[in-house]
Amino acid sequence: MALLNIVKEGDPTLRKVCRPVTEITPRILQLLDDMVETLIDSNGAGLAAPQVGILRRIAVVDMGDEIVELINPEIIAVEGQQQELEGCLSVPDVWGITDRPQKVTVKALNRFGEEFTVTGEDLDARCFCHELDHLDGHLFTDKAIRILTPDEVAELKGE
Ligand code: ZN
């Protein structure tokens, strides 16, 4: 296991469309392990492979009671709407309000190559949308309906 370096906005990797995983090799399993460790270490809600410099369709999302590993994820159903706060480990100290579905169902492969579906609401739903956007080169700042001012961010952080 190893902590991975998280690339920041401005790095061209974050703007590329990632390729699907065609075979779950030991290298992919290692990447999943390292991404989970990096996510836990960074206190984030989710992490996508391009954020650690790997252009593959892989993301990990912390759903509170478990960290779900998503290989080749696709959103297959959405419901409702929410306008809530969002941030990104690759865009430090920037927070914005995004317009996302309230409930999102994702289909993906697990590390054994088995297809599964997972449904998230509220923060989990935002996180699924956010991480899947990363796989297509989109950042939350592209679609935020409002970016918080520095004063608002300071207040948010309790400064
Ligand atoms: Zn992000």
Side-chain angles (χ1 to χ4, degrees):
M1 304 263 273
L3 287 181
L4 304 169
N5 182 45
I6 298 176
V7 300
K8 301 297 188 301
E9 192 179 17
D11 187 304
T13 310
L14 292 173
R15 292 305 187 177
K16 304 234 163 87
V17 175
C18 297
R19 286 176 298 132
V21 174
T22 51
E23 191 189 353
I24 300 171
T25 60
R27 223 174 130 213
I28 296 287
L29 297 176
Q30 182 69 54
L31 174 64
L32 284 167
D33 288 342
D34 291 345
M35 283 177 65
V36 167
E37 196 183 355
T38 304
L39 177 64
I40 293 168
D41 179 73
S42 58
N43 259 321
L47 185 67
Q51 293 183 275
V52 294
I54 307 287
L55 291 171
R56 289 306 191 113
R57 303 191 79 83
I58 294 176
V60 294
V61 172
D62 188 345
M63 295 185 73
D65 49 354
E66 62 165 335
I67 292 180
V68 60
E69 299 172 342
L70 304 167
I71 300 171
N72 298 343
E74 284 173 55
I75 291 174
I76 55 167
V78 298
E79 213 180 292
Q81 192 187 25
Q82 57 174 323
Q83 294 186 346
E84 293 292 338
L85 205 55
E86 215 167 297
C88 180
L89 293 170
S90 294
V91 193
D93 293 326
V94 176
W95 296 87
I97 307 289
T98 53
D99 198 343
R100 302 284 198 189
Q102 186 271 330
K103 188 172 171 181
V104 172
T105 300
V106 171
K107 179 181 84 173
L109 299 178
N110 65 17
R111 60 165 56 220
F112 307 106
E114 299 157 346
E115 193 176 291
F116 70 104
T117 62
V118 58
T119 299
E121 298 188 51
D122 304 319
L123 173 62
D124 293 335
R126 297 204 291 284
C127 202
F128 285 147
C129 294
H130 179 119
E131 301 313 326
L132 268 66
D133 275 351
H134 271 302
L135 305 182
D136 289 317
H138 304 306
L139 297 178
F140 84 98
T141 44
D142 303 345
K143 46 182 66 176
I145 52 179
R146 192 168 78 78
I147 296 289
L148 265 56
T149 64
D151 280 352
E152 287 172 317
V153 173
E155 197 175 325
L156 192 71
K157 291 165 78 182
E159 285 169 4

